[in-house]
């Protein structure tokens, strides 16, 4: 099979910073912090974080800081709104729980209610949707399983049932889709895979075939990874492709924490060590 | 020019850009350029129309001007970047301050949805408008999502919206028929199957899962016979019985359906895994089922003996038919209850 064109992907990520006059960059304007996360984490997984100036990045991020209080966004039923304007979705449960755990302030929300709300979003096939009654979706499943993992609540999940639903996402090409009868997409290499790892069922998919699918989604000339072979690349899919390969223990990549979606050494530093400056 | 209709904002993009600085309605507005700080990361080279629109937006936003021209400006800003949630939020503030006609706002969102049907901010905005309009908006919301489904019958946002509409505003009466219609168009539409389950469990006019179970079992089995490789009706069928294992075991229609599929010797993966589930719960298969399973085996190791041998046979057939999930089927065989020695 092919190989991971790591150096090309590094070049691609760094070039996004300098890309002139692209429609894509205009449309992605609201996602700049996300873009920074995807790009930087991918560089770190590839062992190339030193290619950016960390002081520059840190001071820029600090300028993006905004007054807001996650705790105030928890609702009566335990769910979380995305912001003060009220949209409720299990994605926000994950964001809140993940952020507060990293800040070591999980005690500032009602974790029991938060868990109960997530469990209420369980579907008849063992998965999770965005709200109670909504269809199982691999992205939402990642959010719910991740939130339950971080809060030590995985016992609420029927791991065998969910594991089967998740491994059924693997299609003939070896790629993973997000729902039955949908197309495979590289980003599900993250959402399905990390969920499977968190519930100890990752051996139920064919890892070799998935690796081949991800590698086939690379642009080996210009760098970057796309949603499926021969489509246009973007930072989002580049990150999820590389992170997926990391979860699959592809050689040469740092290990990734499936719940926090951060390199394992970063998570260890957060929880067990002091930040080196 | 205070119209919020979609056509003006979409048209702007296609016709030559008329700078806002030369438009009389924006006279007196001092554009506020974006402050990226001294060393921007992921710096973006903006198009002129985008930059100018956002400079003007920033100005009216920071001065809290809640006027018709602010409404127009949010239309323009949304057309150049529909995912900017600050713009949408400001638009809601303007709409409220102006006491605007929210049915016109529905038209605006429909225009945006044409090119951005998977945009979170759009759907959140639509929900906000519908909530304000109340139960009278229900049928229009159902019609709107119906139009979206004509283009993409699995749009997750639209399904989430439709479920919210039904629960918050009503309109359940025709929902089961609508699910049936969608499934007629594409019986593999998992979203429609999910919606069907949602309707039979939550609709106030149907009596709940217990009342609906019988007819729904027949419905699912009909779909199974038409396309036994279709994952959805199998999951739906199982979901109809949820935790009621006794009833699941004793409904002869279920194992008859499995047998029917096995005999055809094609697309029998879900039939076999359903039988495996039943066997695990103590199901005693008749000779016909045993023979059907045996005839699917390729290795010649004699008659299937005890039920645990049968279940093991099923697992090895599945491992052969579905090699990508070989580890899963191997695991299933390790979980089988051991048959009592007789």
């Amino acid at each position: 099979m092919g190989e991971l064109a790591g150096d090309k992907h590094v070049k691609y990520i760094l070039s996004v910073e300098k890309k002139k006059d692209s429609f894509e960059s205009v449309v992605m304007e609201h996602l700049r912090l996300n873009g920074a996360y995807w790009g930087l984490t991918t560089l770190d997984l590839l062992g190339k974080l030193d290619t950016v100036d960390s002081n520059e990045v840190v001071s820029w991020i600090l300028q993006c800081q905004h007054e807001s209080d996650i705790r105030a966004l928890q609702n009566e039923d335990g769910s979380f709104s995305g912001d003060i304007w009220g949209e409720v979705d299990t994605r926000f449960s994950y964001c809140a729980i993940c952020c507060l755990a990293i800040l070591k302030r999980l005690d500032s929300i009602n974790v029991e209610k938060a868990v109960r709300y997530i469990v209420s979003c369980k579907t008849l096939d063992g998965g999770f949707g965005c709200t109670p009654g909504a269809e199982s979706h691999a992205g939402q499943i990642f959010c719910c399983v991740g939130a339950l993992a971080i809060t030590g609540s995985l016992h609420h999940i029927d791991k065998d049932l969910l594991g089967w639903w998740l491994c059924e996402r693997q299609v003939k090409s070896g790629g993973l889709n997000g729902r039955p009868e949908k197309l495979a997409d590289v980003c599900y290499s993250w959402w399905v895979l990390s969920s499977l790892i968190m519930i100890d069922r990752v051996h139920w998919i064919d890892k070799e075939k998935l690796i081949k699918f991800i590698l086939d989604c690379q642009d080996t000339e210009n760098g970057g990874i796309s949603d499926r072979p021969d489509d246009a690349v973007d930072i989002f899919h580049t990150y999820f492709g590389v992170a997926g390969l990391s979860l699959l223990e592809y050689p040469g990549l740092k290990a990734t924490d499936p719940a926090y979606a951060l390199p394992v050494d970063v998570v260890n530093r957060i929880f067990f060590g002091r930040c080196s400056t | 020019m205070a119209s919020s209709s979609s056509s003006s904002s979409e048209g702007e993009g296609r016709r030559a850009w008329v700078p806002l600085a030369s438009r009389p309605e924006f006279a007196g507005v001092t554009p506020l350029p974006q402050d990226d700080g001294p060393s921007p990361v992921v710096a973006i080279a903006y198009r002129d129309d985008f930059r100018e629109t956002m400079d003007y937006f920033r100005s009216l936003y920071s001065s809290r001007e809640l006027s018709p021209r602010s409404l127009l400006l949010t239309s323009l800003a949304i057309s150049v970047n529909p995912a900017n949630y600050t713009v949408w939020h400001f638009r809601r503030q303007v709409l409220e301050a102006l006491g605007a006609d929210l049915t016109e706002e529905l038209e605006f969102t429909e225009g945006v949805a044409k090119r951005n049907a998977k945009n979170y901010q759009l759907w959140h905005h639509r929900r906000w408008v519908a909530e304000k309009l109340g139960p009278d908006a229900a049928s229009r919301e159902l019609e709107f999502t119906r139009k979206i489904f004509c283009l993409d019958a699995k749009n997750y946002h639209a399904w989430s919206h439709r479920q919210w509409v039904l629960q918050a505003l009503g309109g359940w009466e025709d929902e089961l028929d609508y699910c049936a219609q969608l499934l007629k168009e594409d019986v593999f539409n998992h979203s429609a199957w999910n919606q069907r389950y949602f309707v039979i469990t939550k609709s106030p006019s149907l009596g709940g899962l217990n009342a609906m179970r019988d007819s729904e079992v027949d419905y699912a089995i009909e779909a199974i016979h038409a396309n036994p490789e279709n994952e959805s009706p199998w999951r739906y069928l199982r979901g109809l019985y949820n935790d009621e294992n006794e009833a699941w075991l004793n409904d002869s229609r279920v194992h008859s359906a499995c047998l029917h599929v096995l005999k055809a010797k094609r697309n029998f993966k879900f039939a076999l895994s359903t039988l495996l589930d039943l066997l695990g719960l103590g199901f005693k298969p008749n000779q016909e089922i045993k023979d059907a399973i045996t005839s699917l085996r390729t290795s010649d190791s004699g008659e299937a003996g005890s039920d645990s041998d049968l279940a093991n046979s099923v697992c090895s057939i599945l491992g052969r038919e579905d090699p990508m999930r070989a580890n899963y089927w191997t695991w299933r065989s390790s979980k089988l209850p051991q048959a009592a020695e007789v």
Side-chain angles (χ1 to χ4, degrees):
Chain A
M1 79 174 85
E3 270 190 13
L4 181 63
D7 289 338
K8 297 277 181 164
H9 300 320
V10 171
K11 269 211 191 93
Y12 165 71
I13 292 165
L14 295 177
S15 77
V16 166
E17 185 186 346
K18 302 173 185 67
K19 205 171 252 187
K20 300 292 177 205
D21 200 22
S22 82
F23 177 69
E24 177 204 45
S25 57
V26 167
V27 160
M28 294 279 278
E29 196 260 352
H30 59 291
L31 291 177
R32 286 168 67 183
L33 207 55
N34 304 49
Y37 161 68
W38 294 322
L40 291 171
T41 313
T42 310
L43 289 175
D44 195 16
L45 292 177
L46 291 165
K48 293 289 201 289
L49 196 55
D50 53 1
T51 53
V52 295
D53 182 331
S54 56
N55 287 326
E56 224 179 79
V57 174
V58 169
S59 59
W60 175 78
I61 290 174
L62 289 175
Q63 280 173 61
C64 298
Q65 203 170 22
H66 191 305
E67 285 290 321
S68 68
D69 192 336
I70 296 175
R71 301 167 293 184
L73 296 171
Q74 184 170 30
N75 303 307
E76 253 318 293
D77 61 2
S79 66
F80 280 87
S81 297
D83 49 39
I84 53 170
W85 308 313
E87 186 191 351
V88 169
D89 187 312
T90 47
R91 290 178 295 139
F92 305 132
S93 300
Y94 171 72
C95 291
I97 286 168
C98 183
C99 291
L100 289 172
I102 287 174
L103 295 168
K104 299 174 192 160
R105 296 303 312 277
L106 258 184
D107 56 346
S108 56
I109 54 160
N110 189 326
V111 172
E112 198 193 314
K113 271 189 166 179
V115 166
R116 220 179 307 144
Y117 179 76
I118 291 169
V119 172
S120 77
C121 296
K122 228 195 287 189
T123 65
L124 62 101
D125 40 38
F128 295 89
C130 60
T131 46
E135 191 186 352
S136 272
H137 182 292
Q140 307 290 155
I141 288 171
F142 162 73
C143 293
C144 293
V145 175
L148 293 176
I150 292 171
T151 54
S153 316
L154 285 173
H155 53 276
H156 290 289
I157 294 177
D158 184 339
K159 296 181 184 178
D160 299 331
L161 185 59
L162 177 56
W164 183 41
W165 190 90
L166 287 168
C167 77
E168 284 289 342
R169 295 311 104 232
Q170 190 163 32
V171 298
K172 262 220 200 82
S173 65
L176 304 172
N177 62 23
R179 291 182 274 166
E181 297 295 326
K182 298 276 282 178
L183 295 176
D185 182 323
V186 145
C187 62
Y188 293 109
S189 308
W190 171 263
W191 288 315
V192 173
L193 210 50
S194 56
S195 302
L196 280 168
I197 289 177
M198 287 189 271
I199 59 172
D200 300 318
R201 301 288 188 271
V202 73
H203 51 292
W204 285 355
I205 57 151
D206 186 326
K207 292 190 190 179
E208 288 302 302
K209 287 199 98 177
L210 179 57
I211 288 174
K212 179 170 189 307
F213 176 80
I214 298 172
L215 293 176
D216 284 346
C217 294
Q218 298 178 98
D219 179 343
T220 49
E221 280 201 32
N222 303 308
I225 297 176
S226 59
D227 57 354
R228 52 190 72 91
D230 303 323
D231 275 358
V233 305
D234 59 57
I235 284 269
F236 174 86
H237 289 97
T238 303
Y239 165 67
F240 286 117
V242 172
L245 288 172
S246 161
L247 291 180
L248 292 162
E249 297 172 303
Y250 190 88
L253 296 175
K254 279 172 127 184
T256 310
D257 184 294
Y260 289 99
L262 291 168
V264 167
D265 62 346
V266 171
V267 175
N268 286 341
R269 219 183 320 139
I270 291 170
F271 290 106
F272 305 120
R274 292 156 60 84
C275 279
S276 51
T277 34
Chain B
M1 273 284 282
S3 138
S4 64
S5 80
S6 59
S7 53
S8 67
S9 60
E10 282 203 356
E12 295 294 353
R14 279 184 236 116
R15 279 169 288 173
W17 172 250
V18 176
L20 301 182
S22 32
R23 301 195 206 186
E25 60 268 34
F26 292 116
V29 178
T30 311
L32 265 186
Q34 180 166 303
D35 178 13
D36 257 353
S39 327
V41 173
V42 199
I44 295 169
Y46 295 110
R47 285 190 334 230
D48 287 341
D49 57 344
F50 180 92
R51 190 211 324 268
E52 197 188 17
T53 304
M54 293 315 293
D55 288 352
Y56 271 74
F57 171 77
R58 227 168 268 119
S59 178
L60 294 180
Y61 178 71
S62 55
S63 61
R64 326 302 295 133
E65 181 181 316
L66 305 176
S67 67
R69 71 180 179 181
S70 288
L71 189 65
L72 169 63
L73 198 46
T74 60
S75 305
L76 299 176
I78 284 165
S79 74
V80 294
N81 187 0
N84 188 318
Y85 38 80
T86 307
V87 174
W88 284 100
H89 171 62
F90 186 61
R91 187 180 176 87
R92 288 190 280 278
Q93 292 181 306
V94 172
L95 288 167
E96 279 193 313
L98 296 180
D101 178 356
L102 291 179
T103 48
E104 274 190 30
E105 189 64 6
L106 291 178
E107 273 181 49
F108 174 74
T109 59
E110 275 160 40
V112 178
K114 277 203 193 101
R115 297 202 287 184
N116 303 281
K118 293 190 181 181
N119 175 304
Y120 282 101
Q121 288 69 45
L122 163 77
W123 287 101
H124 179 54
H125 188 78
R126 179 85 190 194
R127 185 178 301 203
W128 178 85
V129 176
E131 198 164 24
K132 289 219 167 259
L133 290 171
D136 287 343
S139 58
R140 184 158 177 173
E141 292 313 292
L142 296 178
E143 185 50 37
F144 172 57
T145 48
R146 191 186 264 261
K147 279 200 222 143
I148 298 286
F149 293 139
C150 287
L151 302 169
D152 174 6
K154 301 178 187 180
N155 183 317
Y156 197 80
H157 302 265
W159 280 114
S160 176
H161 185 74
R162 195 173 174 97
Q163 289 194 344
W164 171 82
V165 169
L166 289 167
Q167 292 186 293
L169 307 177
W172 292 94
E173 305 74 47
D174 300 320
E175 195 63 9
L176 195 61
D177 285 342
Y178 181 57
C179 290
Q181 183 203 316
L182 284 176
L183 289 172
K184 221 167 159 196
E185 291 166 16
D186 177 12
V187 75
F188 291 89
N189 184 340
H190 192 73
S191 305
W193 281 102
N194 183 78
Q195 186 72 351
R196 195 171 177 103
Y197 195 78
F198 178 78
V199 173
I200 64 165
T201 48
K202 295 189 196 278
S203 169
S205 46
L206 286 178
L209 180 56
N210 286 327
M212 297 295 295
R213 179 178 289 127
D214 203 50
S215 54
E216 289 304 296
V217 167
D218 289 333
Y219 183 87
I221 288 177
E222 202 186 319
I224 282 168
H225 287 324
N227 295 94
E229 74 279 25
N230 188 350
E231 188 179 342
S232 301
W234 289 103
R235 292 195 181 274
Y236 186 78
L237 184 61
R238 188 66 185 91
L240 290 172
Y241 281 103
N242 229 353
D243 297 322
E244 315 226 9
N245 290 338
E246 276 307 303
W248 168 244
L249 271 172
N250 292 328
D251 189 338
S252 60
R253 292 173 292 179
V254 176
H255 43 89
S256 295
C258 294
L259 176 60
H260 190 268
V261 174
L262 292 185
K263 279 173 153 176
K265 299 202 183 190
R266 286 172 57 244
N267 297 321
F268 47 78
K269 168 176 153 175
F270 293 114
L272 277 183
S273 73
T274 301
L275 272 174
L276 198 56
D277 185 41
L278 290 167
L279 289 169
L281 291 171
F283 174 61
K284 303 286 172 230
N286 60 24
Q287 194 56 45
E288 218 187 339
I289 290 178
K290 292 184 188 181
D291 292 343
I293 292 170
T294 306
S295 72
L296 292 175
R297 291 164 56 174
T298 48
S299 64
D300 198 14
S301 43
E303 296 280 289
S306 67
D307 286 351
S308 77
D309 290 341
L310 189 72
N312 275 310
S313 283
V314 170
C315 288
S316 55
I317 296 167
L318 282 164
R320 183 196 81 215
E321 285 296 305
D322 188 20
M324 224 184 293
R325 277 161 281 271
N327 288 343
Y328 173 69
W329 300 117
T330 304
W331 174 83
R332 287 295 298 267
S333 68
S334 75
K335 282 284 155 199
L336 296 168
Q338 299 308 309
E341 293 297 330
V342 172

